[in-house]
Amino acid sequence: MSSALLDPTHAAALDAADPLAAFRAEFLFPNGPNGQPVAYFCGNSLGLQPKATRAALDAELTNWAELAVEGHFHGTAPWMHSHGPLAEASAPVVGALPHEVVIMNGLSVNLHLLLVSFYRPAGARYKVLMEGGAFPSDQYAIETQARLHGLDPDDAIVELVPRPGEHTLRTEDIAVKIAELGDSLATVLLGGLNYYTGQVFDMAAITAAGHAVGATVGFDLAHAAGNVPLHLHDWDVDFACWCTYKYLNSGPGGIAGAYIHERFANRPDLLRLAGWWGQEPAERFQMKKGFRPTPGADGWLLSNSPVLLLAPLRASLDLVARAGGMATLRAKSEPLTAYLESLIRALNLPADQLEIITPADPAQRGCQLSVLVHQRGRELFDYLAARGVVADWREPNVIRLSPVPLYNSFEDVRRAGAAMHDFFAAG
Ligand SMILES: *Cc1c(COP(=O)(O)O)cnc(C)c1O
């Protein structure tokens, strides 16, 4: 391997020139087997804990202790209105207007709630287009939504698969499939960034293709939110949902987000599953019959907000904003991931031994690289772990590494590259 790339002074120079370098100190890193902080590349699964999280939680516990029920109306951030500011802070992360965003529930719950409104099979228009091998929760959600409508999932669900010999989908193939399905297509639902390959889809083009045949188009942004800049409103996307514990560092099982385009803001006729928190605020406490949804995404709220889940998200979104938002994070993310890519390529291994299945085009990927290791994959993964490099393993043979611009350094990436080099040099 080229020694220049692996030279610690090279990584140190890149870190010295990194305007976001100071944000690393805002996070808590676990220690690895050698007692030193790990090189953490698992932000695609669970983001690290910001140091501000504990204080944010503690402030709400204090409000509860000192105010009890009055905390709904008084205190640092009255609980009655606590979800509103979170939607405002989340909107720029996904490229939406504040009233197009609601922070609530878990991701899979939100996906179901949105499908109730936006997957409305009728007559010959009943098919759903999704990725083959989509994240299991998405597969099960669509499967059971089809059943909810009395449809056979095997008939209703159409899966996109890469061309033979390829690992990722081509936009033109997705568009052709959409056109082919035409009047039979009710909804397109894709992961905005595929969790396995790391591929980012051309959401604007796919949305336009779906709309051209009269289908609704939505995205699961679990791996995209907080990772790549998104422009849901401008892309004309109908609906989307995301979790916040991956790239938005809100903590395990953190509260999720949902987006609904503003053209549906004043559509009380749009079917949904309702709860009292989605009721017109003026009528919410009148306790009378008849659901009248709040305009905008808030009209999909069911329950009053889990304040202890909102507090950590508020703390982590503050960090994203202080860092300058998604464009600034992306400006570091591209070279950070490119550095990891060049270190892996410098291993000079044949494709039948190791290959990166994530697209090489930066526009088609976020921070994650998925490395398909045909031989000794599990051995390599365990070796990385023993060296304090935390990656993640996906059966049957993929190692995912996600350098996160908010807290990973170029030195972290160098450590991962050096460990891989040593593994293969040892034979
Ligand atoms: C992480 C992830 C989920 C997780 O769903 P939860 O409801 O948050 O448990 C769902 N879908 C995708 C694509 C994911 O990457």
Side-chain angles (χ1 to χ4, degrees):
M1 177 185 282
S2 146
S3 57
L5 279 176
L6 276 178
D7 186 344
T9 60
H10 174 64
L14 293 170
D15 283 325
D18 169 16
L20 295 179
F23 282 89
R24 179 179 176 81
E26 305 274 356
F27 289 87
L28 296 164
F29 286 75
N31 284 333
N34 59 2
Q36 297 299 310
V38 294
Y40 192 76
F41 295 107
C42 239
N44 56 358
S45 188
L46 180 68
L48 291 178
Q49 183 184 140
K51 289 178 179 167
T53 302
R54 194 175 289 269
L57 270 171
D58 201 52
E60 293 298 8
L61 290 173
T62 301
N63 284 332
W64 181 20
E66 295 180 352
L67 301 167
V69 72
E70 291 299 321
H72 286 106
F73 314 101
H74 301 108
T76 44
W79 302 328
M80 268 287 289
H81 310 291
S82 52
H83 63 277
L86 268 292
E88 262 165 53
S90 304
V93 174
V94 296
L97 304 171
H99 70 276
E100 291 176 321
V101 174
V102 58
I103 300 302
M104 59 180 187
N105 312 316
L107 165 53
S108 302
V109 176
N110 288 346
L111 181 56
H112 272 296
L113 294 176
L114 292 167
L115 288 169
V116 162
S117 298
F118 293 99
Y119 174 50
R120 306 290 315 144
R125 190 186 285 282
Y126 66 95
K127 303 240 182 210
V128 191
L129 183 65
M130 64 187 303
E131 309 134 277
F135 192 87
S137 206
D138 302 36
Q139 292 186 44
Y140 307 152
I142 298 284
E143 176 188 327
T144 53
Q145 286 278 333
R147 287 192 203 288
L148 184 69
H149 293 285
L151 298 167
D152 171 6
D154 290 336
D155 178 31
I157 300 171
V158 180
E159 293 185 342
L160 293 158
V161 289
R163 293 184 187 187
E166 298 187 1
H167 294 294
T168 52
L169 295 166
R170 299 190 190 197
T171 308
E172 69 258 34
D173 291 355
I174 300 174
V176 163
K177 179 57 84 178
I178 290 172
E180 224 173 79
L181 290 165
D183 289 349
S184 72
L185 186 62
T187 299
V188 178
L189 177 82
L190 296 177
L193 191 157
N194 182 273
Y195 83 102
Y196 193 74
T197 64
Q199 179 182 22
V200 176
F201 293 112
D202 185 338
M203 290 175 250
I206 293 167
T207 302
H211 287 172
V213 300
T216 55
V217 182
F219 294 97
D220 178 336
L221 303 174
H223 282 260
N227 180 3
V228 290
L230 298 163
H231 304 283
L232 296 179
H233 177 86
D234 290 345
W235 294 339
D236 213 28
V237 171
D238 295 306
F239 66 97
C241 49
W242 59 96
C243 55
T244 64
Y245 50 80
K246 291 173 179 166
Y247 293 110
L248 291 170
N249 311 311
S250 71
I255 194 160
Y259 152 93
I260 294 136
H261 193 281
E262 75 168 344
R263 71 177 151 273
F264 307 108
N266 288 300
R267 288 279 309 276
D269 59 303
L270 203 58
L271 190 74
R272 66 194 85 186
L273 298 179
W276 71 319
W277 228 249
Q279 177 76 343
E280 265 288 355
E283 296 187 0
R284 190 181 296 153
F285 293 95
Q286 293 181 2
M287 309 309 197
K288 45 179 210 202
K289 263 185 172 318
F291 176 64
R292 288 168 23 91
T294 308
D298 280 2
W300 273 262
L301 271 167
L302 275 78
S303 296
N304 74 93
S305 293
V307 168
L308 297 179
L309 293 183
L310 291 180
L313 179 58
R314 194 160 56 229
S316 63
L317 288 173
D318 279 352
L319 278 176
V320 173
R322 270 175 48 208
M326 289 312 301
T328 312
L329 292 180
R330 179 66 174 172
K332 173 177 173 184
S333 181
E334 284 193 28
L336 193 65
T337 292
Y339 181 39
L340 178 62
E341 183 181 36
S342 58
L343 286 167
I344 295 171
R345 293 213 187 286
L347 293 167
N348 265 321
L349 293 167
D352 63 359
Q353 195 174 348
L354 181 151
E355 58 184 314
I356 299 173
I357 60 174
T358 307
D361 172 11
Q364 288 186 64
R365 70 184 186 198
C367 68
Q368 172 184 324
L369 293 183
S370 301
V371 185
L372 182 55
V373 193
H374 295 279
Q375 297 154 33
R376 302 171 64 208
R378 188 72 215 192
E379 225 182 297
L380 169 60
F381 177 77
D382 292 340
Y383 180 82
L384 291 174
R387 289 273 296 255
V389 175
V390 181
D392 100 353
W393 175 253
R394 285 293 131 165
E395 294 295 343
N397 52 5
V398 165
I399 295 175
R400 299 184 303 175
L401 293 149
S402 300
V404 170
L406 205 46
Y407 52 69
N408 280 124
S409 61
F410 287 87
E411 168 58 17
D412 286 340
V413 172
R414 191 200 63 82
R415 274 175 68 188
M420 286 191 204
H421 173 77
D422 292 347
F423 176 82
F424 287 108

